[in-house]
Amino acid sequence: MEMSAAAGGLGTSGQRQRSGTVKRRRWGGLRQQWKLLGVFEIDQQHEFYSLACMMKEGLAAATQNNIDAPTNELSDDDYRLEVTRIHKEFTMETFAGPVFARLRESLGVTQQEYQQSLCSESCYLQFISNSKSKADFFLTNDKRFFLKTQNKREIKFLLANLKIYMEHLRKFPHSLLVKFLGVHRINVPHRRKKYFLVMQSVFYPDDRINARFDIKGCEVSRWTEPAPEGSQIIVVLKDLNFEGQYVTLDQQRPWLLRQVEVDSLFLRRLSVLDYSLLLAHQTLQQDERHQSLSFASLIIRAKRSVNPGSSPMQAGIAPVPGAVLEEDSTLELSETDSRYLEQLQAGVASGGGTIQTCPEHSGPGSDAAELPDFRAQNRRLLPNLKNPLHVIDGPEQRYFIGIIDIFTVYSFKKRLEHLWKRLRHPGRSFSTVSPPAYCLRLCRWVQDHTK
């Protein structure tokens, strides 16, 4: 009996062992599948599991404070505010919490859904990037928000310029600049402090995206080997991969050209370079191509398409989604920027050449020297999506567009790098150029690759 029982016990144990092995193989295969796709779950065996758990716990407490204490009018103190919360194994600092809470609110992201996405029991996903930076990239499980580690210098740069960043987004609510939603620092005893920020994912929702590109407007090191045909691997392609292709927008093209100009001029004023235009596309379904919008839908979408506090009735309604609305809206460019736009138009900015800002103004009988009316704020009817500011629908394709990586300042080190690359790559275009030249080049790229 004892031997029989022991044998039975061994049999049960063997079954459990085989079951465990099968599960491990199945899970290992799933992990490998995630890895091949460029993202995989941060589970208990992952090297970043502890960090991910601390992020979730710290963010849950930080966002709960915003839920319990709704934001009031922002003050200068809010931009300098640092709140430290003590947890069992770490402390987490939240920088300018009320400011980012206000920004999330302006984007239509409720504090509850922000907390649910960042702090759910589902695993974060690690995104494997081909970026040269040493940053780590995480995605919430629903892929709506990015979490990215940053160095102290980059965080200080963002916080130092946070007020003018917020003012830019207020003036230009359709800005393509990536939307930063939170800045934090985790401190574990006897370890190096870890800074990270939360931002909107430009590629959301990504269910049907066909291709992704990271564009800098140059050629050196701007080719990535595409994934094999039929493969499910996620590869972010670059400028040279996009050659021969176009972003086809029709009525929305003038809006996109102007918005890229406005955003790149803002970065030029900050002496920033090396930023990227993220671009992805997917084919529109048949029912998405010819939407018959009800009057109520038009009103709702017009409300979302105007400055905070503006009246949608004053803004008018565009005859087609994406058309530029000129009435009752002013684009307040500084005198310096206005002069620089004249230089862009005349082609006397760094690098020479000309840029046609709004081709619809040119043609027979038009004055070639006449500048478009840059005092007109561009407005468009936003798509009915949770990420409307980065989504533009053309006749056949839906495009996801955003400007990211806005922390590289044209420092002395970058000037030396520019001189070295000029010697190494004579006659070729590379990323490290002066901010005015970088601004002009990206505007030209958008001009040349849209129709």
Side-chain angles (χ1 to χ4, degrees), residues 195-236:
Y195 291 85
F196 71 96
L197 50 80
V198 184
M199 65 187 91
Q200 261 189 336
S201 173
V202 174
F203 299 152
Y204 177 85
D206 72 336
D207 305 18
R208 296 185 286 117
I209 288 179
N210 298 323
R212 299 164 173 81
F213 297 88
D214 179 301
I215 302 297
K216 291 183 184 290
C218 57
E219 56 179 325
V220 173
S221 301
R222 300 306 297 164
W223 168 267
T224 294
E225 195 62 36
E229 190 173 349
S231 169
Q232 296 298 309
I233 299 174
I234 294 176
V235 175
V236 179

mmCIF file of all heavy atoms in Angstrom, residues 195-236:
data_model
loop_
_atom_site.group_PDB
_atom_site.id
_atom_site.type_symbol
_atom_site.label_atom_id
_atom_site.label_comp_id
_atom_site.label_asym_id
_atom_site.label_seq_id
_atom_site.Cartn_x
_atom_site.Cartn_y
_atom_site.Cartn_z
ATOM 1 N N TYR A 195 15.088 58.870 -13.142
ATOM 2 C CA TYR A 195 14.106 59.829 -13.641
ATOM 3 C C TYR A 195 13.316 59.184 -14.774
ATOM 4 O O TYR A 195 13.886 58.467 -15.609
ATOM 5 C CB TYR A 195 14.793 61.082 -14.183
ATOM 6 C CG TYR A 195 15.450 61.962 -13.149
ATOM 7 C CD1 TYR A 195 16.749 61.704 -12.709
ATOM 8 C CD2 TYR A 195 14.773 63.055 -12.603
ATOM 9 C CE1 TYR A 195 17.360 62.517 -11.765
ATOM 10 C CE2 TYR A 195 15.373 63.874 -11.664
ATOM 11 C CZ TYR A 195 16.667 63.598 -11.247
ATOM 12 O OH TYR A 195 17.267 64.411 -10.306
ATOM 13 N N PHE A 196 12.034 59.470 -14.811
ATOM 14 C CA PHE A 196 11.248 58.998 -15.951
ATOM 15 C C PHE A 196 10.082 59.941 -16.193
ATOM 16 O O PHE A 196 9.664 60.693 -15.311
ATOM 17 C CB PHE A 196 10.746 57.564 -15.743
ATOM 18 C CG PHE A 196 9.663 57.399 -14.710
ATOM 19 C CD1 PHE A 196 8.321 57.366 -15.084
ATOM 20 C CD2 PHE A 196 9.976 57.264 -13.360
ATOM 21 C CE1 PHE A 196 7.310 57.204 -14.145
ATOM 22 C CE2 PHE A 196 8.976 57.099 -12.409
ATOM 23 C CZ PHE A 196 7.634 57.064 -12.800
ATOM 24 N N LEU A 197 9.600 59.930 -17.414
ATOM 25 C CA LEU A 197 8.438 60.747 -17.748
ATOM 26 C C LEU A 197 7.393 59.893 -18.449
ATOM 27 O O LEU A 197 7.684 58.833 -18.998
ATOM 28 C CB LEU A 197 8.832 61.957 -18.598
ATOM 29 C CG LEU A 197 9.697 61.775 -19.840
ATOM 30 C CD1 LEU A 197 8.863 61.302 -21.009
ATOM 31 C CD2 LEU A 197 10.380 63.090 -20.192
ATOM 32 N N VAL A 198 6.158 60.372 -18.395
ATOM 33 C CA VAL A 198 5.029 59.707 -19.037
ATOM 34 C C VAL A 198 4.580 60.587 -20.191
ATOM 35 O O VAL A 198 4.501 61.809 -20.051
ATOM 36 C CB VAL A 198 3.863 59.496 -18.046
ATOM 37 C CG1 VAL A 198 2.736 58.704 -18.719
ATOM 38 C CG2 VAL A 198 4.340 58.791 -16.788
ATOM 39 N N MET A 199 4.304 59.987 -21.332
ATOM 40 C CA MET A 199 3.862 60.757 -22.495
ATOM 41 C C MET A 199 2.816 59.973 -23.277
ATOM 42 O O MET A 199 2.698 58.754 -23.135
ATOM 43 C CB MET A 199 5.051 61.105 -23.389
ATOM 44 C CG MET A 199 5.716 59.904 -24.030
ATOM 45 S SD MET A 199 7.246 60.340 -24.909
ATOM 46 C CE MET A 199 8.421 60.115 -23.590
ATOM 47 N N GLN A 200 2.060 60.680 -24.077
ATOM 48 C CA GLN A 200 1.113 60.026 -24.968
ATOM 49 C C GLN A 200 1.872 59.251 -26.028
ATOM 50 O O GLN A 200 2.882 59.715 -26.545
ATOM 51 C CB GLN A 200 0.240 61.066 -25.683
ATOM 52 C CG GLN A 200 -1.119 61.269 -25.081
ATOM 53 C CD GLN A 200 -2.001 62.134 -25.966
ATOM 54 O OE1 GLN A 200 -1.511 62.921 -26.759
ATOM 55 N NE2 GLN A 200 -3.292 62.002 -25.823
ATOM 56 N N SER A 201 1.394 58.076 -26.365
ATOM 57 C CA SER A 201 1.959 57.339 -27.490
ATOM 58 C C SER A 201 1.401 57.926 -28.781
ATOM 59 O O SER A 201 0.180 58.030 -28.946
ATOM 60 C CB SER A 201 1.613 55.851 -27.398
ATOM 61 O OG SER A 201 2.022 55.179 -28.562
ATOM 62 N N VAL A 202 2.277 58.329 -29.686
ATOM 63 C CA VAL A 202 1.833 58.866 -30.974
ATOM 64 C C VAL A 202 1.117 57.782 -31.775
ATOM 65 O O VAL A 202 0.119 58.045 -32.455
ATOM 66 C CB VAL A 202 3.036 59.422 -31.766
ATOM 67 C CG1 VAL A 202 2.615 59.858 -33.167
ATOM 68 C CG2 VAL A 202 3.669 60.591 -31.012
ATOM 69 N N PHE A 203 1.601 56.536 -31.668
ATOM 70 C CA PHE A 203 1.028 55.436 -32.441
ATOM 71 C C PHE A 203 -0.073 54.720 -31.650
ATOM 72 O O PHE A 203 0.063 53.540 -31.282
ATOM 73 C CB PHE A 203 2.115 54.436 -32.829
ATOM 74 C CG PHE A 203 3.201 55.023 -33.692
ATOM 75 C CD1 PHE A 203 4.479 54.497 -33.659
ATOM 76 C CD2 PHE A 203 2.958 56.100 -34.533
ATOM 77 C CE1 PHE A 203 5.487 55.021 -34.467
ATOM 78 C CE2 PHE A 203 3.960 56.635 -35.334
ATOM 79 C CZ PHE A 203 5.235 56.095 -35.293
ATOM 80 N N TYR A 204 -1.136 55.440 -31.354
ATOM 81 C CA TYR A 204 -2.264 54.837 -30.641
ATOM 82 C C TYR A 204 -3.569 55.296 -31.278
ATOM 83 O O TYR A 204 -3.732 56.490 -31.550
ATOM 84 C CB TYR A 204 -2.246 55.229 -29.155
ATOM 85 C CG TYR A 204 -3.429 54.686 -28.385
ATOM 86 C CD1 TYR A 204 -3.399 53.398 -27.859
ATOM 87 C CD2 TYR A 204 -4.585 55.451 -28.209
ATOM 88 C CE1 TYR A 204 -4.492 52.890 -27.174
ATOM 89 C CE2 TYR A 204 -5.671 54.936 -27.518
ATOM 90 C CZ TYR A 204 -5.618 53.670 -26.998
ATOM 91 O OH TYR A 204 -6.691 53.163 -26.316
ATOM 92 N N PRO A 205 -4.502 54.363 -31.549
ATOM 93 C CA PRO A 205 -4.394 52.909 -31.388
ATOM 94 C C PRO A 205 -3.627 52.291 -32.560
ATOM 95 O O PRO A 205 -3.746 52.757 -33.692
ATOM 96 C CB PRO A 205 -5.851 52.459 -31.393
ATOM 97 C CG PRO A 205 -6.565 53.506 -32.189
ATOM 98 C CD PRO A 205 -5.851 54.799 -31.963
ATOM 99 N N ASP A 206 -2.828 51.264 -32.275
ATOM 100 C CA ASP A 206 -1.891 50.763 -33.277
ATOM 101 C C ASP A 206 -2.350 49.476 -33.966
ATOM 102 O O ASP A 206 -1.570 48.846 -34.676
ATOM 103 C CB ASP A 206 -0.532 50.519 -32.618
ATOM 104 C CG ASP A 206 -0.547 49.303 -31.704
ATOM 105 O OD1 ASP A 206 -1.652 48.948 -31.221
ATOM 106 O OD2 ASP A 206 0.521 48.714 -31.472
ATOM 107 N N ASP A 207 -3.625 49.103 -33.758
ATOM 108 C CA ASP A 207 -4.098 47.798 -34.224
ATOM 109 C C ASP A 207 -3.803 47.526 -35.698
ATOM 110 O O ASP A 207 -3.396 46.432 -36.070
ATOM 111 C CB ASP A 207 -5.621 47.672 -34.021
ATOM 112 C CG ASP A 207 -6.029 47.922 -32.585
ATOM 113 O OD1 ASP A 207 -5.223 48.500 -31.848
ATOM 114 O OD2 ASP A 207 -7.149 47.530 -32.208
ATOM 115 N N ARG A 208 -4.009 48.527 -36.573
ATOM 116 C CA ARG A 208 -3.918 48.271 -38.012
ATOM 117 C C ARG A 208 -2.804 49.065 -38.688
ATOM 118 O O ARG A 208 -2.816 49.228 -39.899
ATOM 119 C CB ARG A 208 -5.263 48.601 -38.685
ATOM 120 C CG ARG A 208 -6.406 47.702 -38.230
ATOM 121 C CD ARG A 208 -7.685 47.975 -39.010
ATOM 122 N NE ARG A 208 -8.317 49.217 -38.626
ATOM 123 C CZ ARG A 208 -8.494 50.259 -39.443
ATOM 124 N NH1 ARG A 208 -8.071 50.206 -40.684
ATOM 125 N NH2 ARG A 208 -9.090 51.360 -39.020
ATOM 126 N N ILE A 209 -1.851 49.555 -37.911
ATOM 127 C CA ILE A 209 -0.763 50.330 -38.502
ATOM 128 C C ILE A 209 0.084 49.439 -39.417
ATOM 129 O O ILE A 209 0.492 48.343 -39.030
ATOM 130 C CB ILE A 209 0.104 50.980 -37.410
ATOM 131 C CG1 ILE A 209 -0.664 52.133 -36.750
ATOM 132 C CG2 ILE A 209 1.426 51.483 -37.978
ATOM 133 C CD1 ILE A 209 0.087 52.832 -35.643
ATOM 134 N N ASN A 210 0.351 49.937 -40.631
ATOM 135 C CA ASN A 210 1.108 49.159 -41.617
ATOM 136 C C ASN A 210 2.611 49.387 -41.526
ATOM 137 O O ASN A 210 3.396 48.471 -41.735
ATOM 138 C CB ASN A 210 0.648 49.530 -43.036
ATOM 139 C CG ASN A 210 -0.815 49.216 -43.266
ATOM 140 O OD1 ASN A 210 -1.320 48.218 -42.769
ATOM 141 N ND2 ASN A 210 -1.497 50.066 -44.018
ATOM 142 N N ALA A 211 3.016 50.626 -41.260
ATOM 143 C CA ALA A 211 4.445 50.946 -41.235
ATOM 144 C C ALA A 211 4.674 52.139 -40.328
ATOM 145 O O ALA A 211 3.816 53.007 -40.186
ATOM 146 C CB ALA A 211 4.945 51.255 -42.651
ATOM 147 N N ARG A 212 5.852 52.172 -39.718
ATOM 148 C CA ARG A 212 6.236 53.250 -38.810
ATOM 149 C C ARG A 212 7.567 53.832 -39.270
ATOM 150 O O ARG A 212 8.476 53.075 -39.643
ATOM 151 C CB ARG A 212 6.376 52.723 -37.374
ATOM 152 C CG ARG A 212 5.100 52.139 -36.780
ATOM 153 C CD ARG A 212 5.428 51.293 -35.546
ATOM 154 N NE ARG A 212 4.238 50.838 -34.853
ATOM 155 C CZ ARG A 212 3.508 49.790 -35.203
ATOM 156 N NH1 ARG A 212 3.854 49.096 -36.293
ATOM 157 N NH2 ARG A 212 2.460 49.428 -34.510
ATOM 158 N N PHE A 213 7.692 55.167 -39.173
ATOM 159 C CA PHE A 213 8.913 55.839 -39.616
ATOM 160 C C PHE A 213 9.356 56.860 -38.571
ATOM 161 O O PHE A 213 8.538 57.491 -37.916
ATOM 162 C CB PHE A 213 8.688 56.557 -40.951
ATOM 163 C CG PHE A 213 8.345 55.637 -42.096
ATOM 164 C CD1 PHE A 213 7.030 55.290 -42.337
ATOM 165 C CD2 PHE A 213 9.345 55.127 -42.911
ATOM 166 C CE1 PHE A 213 6.699 54.439 -43.382
ATOM 167 C CE2 PHE A 213 9.028 54.276 -43.960
ATOM 168 C CZ PHE A 213 7.695 53.930 -44.200
ATOM 169 N N ASP A 214 10.667 57.020 -38.458
ATOM 170 C CA ASP A 214 11.293 58.055 -37.639
ATOM 171 C C ASP A 214 12.053 58.951 -38.609
ATOM 172 O O ASP A 214 13.055 58.545 -39.196
ATOM 173 C CB ASP A 214 12.236 57.402 -36.622
ATOM 174 C CG ASP A 214 12.947 58.405 -35.737
ATOM 175 O OD1 ASP A 214 13.670 59.270 -36.280
ATOM 176 O OD2 ASP A 214 12.818 58.329 -34.510
ATOM 177 N N ILE A 215 11.576 60.190 -38.800
ATOM 178 C CA ILE A 215 12.096 61.085 -39.841
ATOM 179 C C ILE A 215 12.881 62.236 -39.229
ATOM 180 O O ILE A 215 12.401 62.912 -38.320
ATOM 181 C CB ILE A 215 10.935 61.645 -40.697
ATOM 182 C CG1 ILE A 215 10.123 60.508 -41.332
ATOM 183 C CG2 ILE A 215 11.465 62.613 -41.745
ATOM 184 C CD1 ILE A 215 10.881 59.644 -42.306
ATOM 185 N N LYS A 216 14.090 62.472 -39.746
ATOM 186 C CA LYS A 216 14.898 63.615 -39.331
ATOM 187 C C LYS A 216 15.232 64.549 -40.492
ATOM 188 O O LYS A 216 15.842 65.593 -40.308
ATOM 189 C CB LYS A 216 16.191 63.140 -38.660
ATOM 190 C CG LYS A 216 15.972 62.472 -37.303
ATOM 191 C CD LYS A 216 17.298 62.099 -36.662
ATOM 192 C CE LYS A 216 17.096 61.351 -35.347
ATOM 193 N NZ LYS A 216 16.575 62.210 -34.275
ATOM 194 N N GLY A 217 14.890 64.161 -41.708
ATOM 195 C CA GLY A 217 15.132 65.015 -42.857
ATOM 196 C C GLY A 217 16.545 64.963 -43.402
ATOM 197 O O GLY A 217 16.965 65.870 -44.115
ATOM 198 N N CYS A 218 17.303 63.903 -43.083
ATOM 199 C CA CYS A 218 18.678 63.793 -43.573
ATOM 200 C C CYS A 218 18.933 62.376 -44.083
ATOM 201 O O CYS A 218 18.024 61.545 -44.101
ATOM 202 C CB CYS A 218 19.676 64.186 -42.487
ATOM 203 S SG CYS A 218 19.522 63.227 -40.967
ATOM 204 N N GLU A 219 20.185 62.091 -44.493
ATOM 205 C CA GLU A 219 20.457 60.817 -45.152
ATOM 206 C C GLU A 219 21.477 59.933 -44.429
ATOM 207 O O GLU A 219 21.402 58.693 -44.540
ATOM 208 C CB GLU A 219 20.933 61.063 -46.583
ATOM 209 C CG GLU A 219 22.151 61.968 -46.677
ATOM 210 C CD GLU A 219 22.609 62.183 -48.117
ATOM 211 O OE1 GLU A 219 22.487 61.238 -48.921
ATOM 212 O OE2 GLU A 219 23.084 63.289 -48.426
ATOM 213 N N VAL A 220 22.434 60.508 -43.712
ATOM 214 C CA VAL A 220 23.474 59.703 -43.070
ATOM 215 C C VAL A 220 22.866 58.873 -41.942
ATOM 216 O O VAL A 220 22.204 59.405 -41.050
ATOM 217 C CB VAL A 220 24.613 60.599 -42.542
ATOM 218 C CG1 VAL A 220 25.614 59.779 -41.728
ATOM 219 C CG2 VAL A 220 25.309 61.296 -43.692
ATOM 220 N N SER A 221 23.085 57.570 -41.984
ATOM 221 C CA SER A 221 22.575 56.611 -40.978
ATOM 222 C C SER A 221 21.055 56.641 -40.884
ATOM 223 O O SER A 221 20.491 56.420 -39.817
ATOM 224 C CB SER A 221 23.179 56.915 -39.594
ATOM 225 O OG SER A 221 24.578 56.839 -39.631
ATOM 226 N N ARG A 222 20.387 56.909 -41.999
ATOM 227 C CA ARG A 222 18.924 57.006 -41.965
ATOM 228 C C ARG A 222 18.279 55.900 -42.800
ATOM 229 O O ARG A 222 17.307 56.116 -43.504
ATOM 230 C CB ARG A 222 18.470 58.379 -42.461
ATOM 231 C CG ARG A 222 19.000 59.537 -41.651
ATOM 232 C CD ARG A 222 18.717 59.420 -40.188
ATOM 233 N NE ARG A 222 17.294 59.429 -39.897
ATOM 234 C CZ ARG A 222 16.769 59.041 -38.742
ATOM 235 N NH1 ARG A 222 17.540 58.556 -37.793
ATOM 236 N NH2 ARG A 222 15.468 59.085 -38.569
ATOM 237 N N TRP A 223 18.838 54.696 -42.719
ATOM 238 C CA TRP A 223 18.247 53.522 -43.349
ATOM 239 C C TRP A 223 18.181 52.398 -42.311
ATOM 240 O O TRP A 223 19.125 52.167 -41.558
ATOM 241 C CB TRP A 223 19.061 53.059 -44.552
ATOM 242 C CG TRP A 223 18.655 51.684 -45.051
ATOM 243 C CD1 TRP A 223 19.201 50.478 -44.692
ATOM 244 C CD2 TRP A 223 17.607 51.373 -45.969
ATOM 245 N NE1 TRP A 223 18.573 49.452 -45.334
ATOM 246 C CE2 TRP A 223 17.585 49.964 -46.129
ATOM 247 C CE3 TRP A 223 16.689 52.149 -46.678
ATOM 248 C CZ2 TRP A 223 16.671 49.319 -46.965
ATOM 249 C CZ3 TRP A 223 15.783 51.494 -47.510
ATOM 250 C CH2 TRP A 223 15.780 50.106 -47.650
ATOM 251 N N THR A 224 17.038 51.724 -42.240
ATOM 252 C CA THR A 224 16.871 50.565 -41.366
ATOM 253 C C THR A 224 16.408 49.390 -42.216
ATOM 254 O O THR A 224 15.526 49.544 -43.057
ATOM 255 C CB THR A 224 15.832 50.850 -40.261
ATOM 256 O OG1 THR A 224 16.340 51.865 -39.397
ATOM 257 C CG2 THR A 224 15.556 49.602 -39.437
ATOM 258 N N GLU A 225 17.011 48.252 -41.982
ATOM 259 C CA GLU A 225 16.622 47.060 -42.744
ATOM 260 C C GLU A 225 15.183 46.698 -42.405
ATOM 261 O O GLU A 225 14.864 46.450 -41.240
ATOM 262 C CB GLU A 225 17.551 45.890 -42.410
ATOM 263 C CG GLU A 225 17.480 44.734 -43.389
ATOM 264 C CD GLU A 225 17.895 45.144 -44.803
ATOM 265 O OE1 GLU A 225 18.818 45.977 -44.945
ATOM 266 O OE2 GLU A 225 17.275 44.616 -45.748
ATOM 267 N N PRO A 226 14.285 46.672 -43.399
ATOM 268 C CA PRO A 226 12.877 46.348 -43.118
ATOM 269 C C PRO A 226 12.726 44.901 -42.645
ATOM 270 O O PRO A 226 13.587 44.054 -42.898
ATOM 271 C CB PRO A 226 12.181 46.556 -44.474
ATOM 272 C CG PRO A 226 13.139 47.343 -45.300
ATOM 273 C CD PRO A 226 14.508 46.981 -44.819
ATOM 274 N N ALA A 227 11.612 44.641 -41.966
ATOM 275 C CA ALA A 227 11.297 43.272 -41.564
ATOM 276 C C ALA A 227 10.982 42.443 -42.809
ATOM 277 O O ALA A 227 10.500 42.984 -43.812
ATOM 278 C CB ALA A 227 10.104 43.273 -40.613
ATOM 279 N N PRO A 228 11.264 41.143 -42.786
ATOM 280 C CA PRO A 228 10.942 40.295 -43.939
ATOM 281 C C PRO A 228 9.460 40.377 -44.274
ATOM 282 O O PRO A 228 8.615 40.578 -43.394
ATOM 283 C CB PRO A 228 11.322 38.890 -43.445
ATOM 284 C CG PRO A 228 12.290 39.120 -42.333
ATOM 285 C CD PRO A 228 11.893 40.402 -41.690
ATOM 286 N N GLU A 229 9.133 40.250 -45.548
ATOM 287 C CA GLU A 229 7.748 40.344 -45.989
ATOM 288 C C GLU A 229 6.895 39.279 -45.309
ATOM 289 O O GLU A 229 7.262 38.116 -45.234
ATOM 290 C CB GLU A 229 7.667 40.171 -47.513
ATOM 291 C CG GLU A 229 6.305 40.500 -48.084
ATOM 292 C CD GLU A 229 6.293 40.495 -49.600
ATOM 293 O OE1 GLU A 229 7.381 40.452 -50.203
ATOM 294 O OE2 GLU A 229 5.191 40.545 -50.175
ATOM 295 N N GLY A 230 5.757 39.709 -44.800
ATOM 296 C CA GLY A 230 4.863 38.786 -44.092
ATOM 297 C C GLY A 230 5.202 38.618 -42.631
ATOM 298 O O GLY A 230 4.455 37.996 -41.876
ATOM 299 N N SER A 231 6.330 39.209 -42.193
ATOM 300 C CA SER A 231 6.744 39.096 -40.794
ATOM 301 C C SER A 231 5.909 40.019 -39.914
ATOM 302 O O SER A 231 5.429 41.063 -40.357
ATOM 303 C CB SER A 231 8.224 39.442 -40.660
ATOM 304 O OG SER A 231 8.584 39.587 -39.304
ATOM 305 N N GLN A 232 5.746 39.631 -38.655
ATOM 306 C CA GLN A 232 5.011 40.451 -37.692
ATOM 307 C C GLN A 232 5.944 41.316 -36.853
ATOM 308 O O GLN A 232 5.504 42.003 -35.938
ATOM 309 C CB GLN A 232 4.187 39.554 -36.761
ATOM 310 C CG GLN A 232 3.101 38.760 -37.467
ATOM 311 C CD GLN A 232 2.077 39.663 -38.120
ATOM 312 O OE1 GLN A 232 1.536 40.560 -37.497
ATOM 313 N NE2 GLN A 232 1.819 39.444 -39.404
ATOM 314 N N ILE A 233 7.224 41.294 -37.160
ATOM 315 C CA ILE A 233 8.190 42.076 -36.381
ATOM 316 C C ILE A 233 7.937 43.569 -36.576
ATOM 317 O O ILE A 233 7.732 44.040 -37.694
ATOM 318 C CB ILE A 233 9.635 41.728 -36.813
ATOM 319 C CG1 ILE A 233 9.930 40.245 -36.555
ATOM 320 C CG2 ILE A 233 10.644 42.598 -36.083
ATOM 321 C CD1 ILE A 233 11.280 39.800 -37.084
ATOM 322 N N ILE A 234 7.943 44.311 -35.480
ATOM 323 C CA ILE A 234 7.768 45.769 -35.537
ATOM 324 C C ILE A 234 9.138 46.418 -35.728
ATOM 325 O O ILE A 234 10.020 46.280 -34.881
ATOM 326 C CB ILE A 234 7.100 46.299 -34.257
ATOM 327 C CG1 ILE A 234 5.672 45.783 -34.157
ATOM 328 C CG2 ILE A 234 7.119 47.820 -34.244
ATOM 329 C CD1 ILE A 234 4.969 46.175 -32.874
ATOM 330 N N VAL A 235 9.323 47.091 -36.847
ATOM 331 C CA VAL A 235 10.562 47.818 -37.123
ATOM 332 C C VAL A 235 10.199 49.273 -37.422
ATOM 333 O O VAL A 235 9.322 49.535 -38.237
ATOM 334 C CB VAL A 235 11.309 47.208 -38.327
ATOM 335 C CG1 VAL A 235 12.537 48.039 -38.672
ATOM 336 C CG2 VAL A 235 11.722 45.770 -38.027
ATOM 337 N N VAL A 236 10.876 50.197 -36.742
ATOM 338 C CA VAL A 236 10.677 51.613 -37.033
ATOM 339 C C VAL A 236 11.680 52.004 -38.115
ATOM 340 O O VAL A 236 12.888 51.982 -37.896
ATOM 341 C CB VAL A 236 10.860 52.485 -35.771
ATOM 342 C CG1 VAL A 236 10.667 53.955 -36.113
ATOM 343 C CG2 VAL A 236 9.874 52.063 -34.687
#
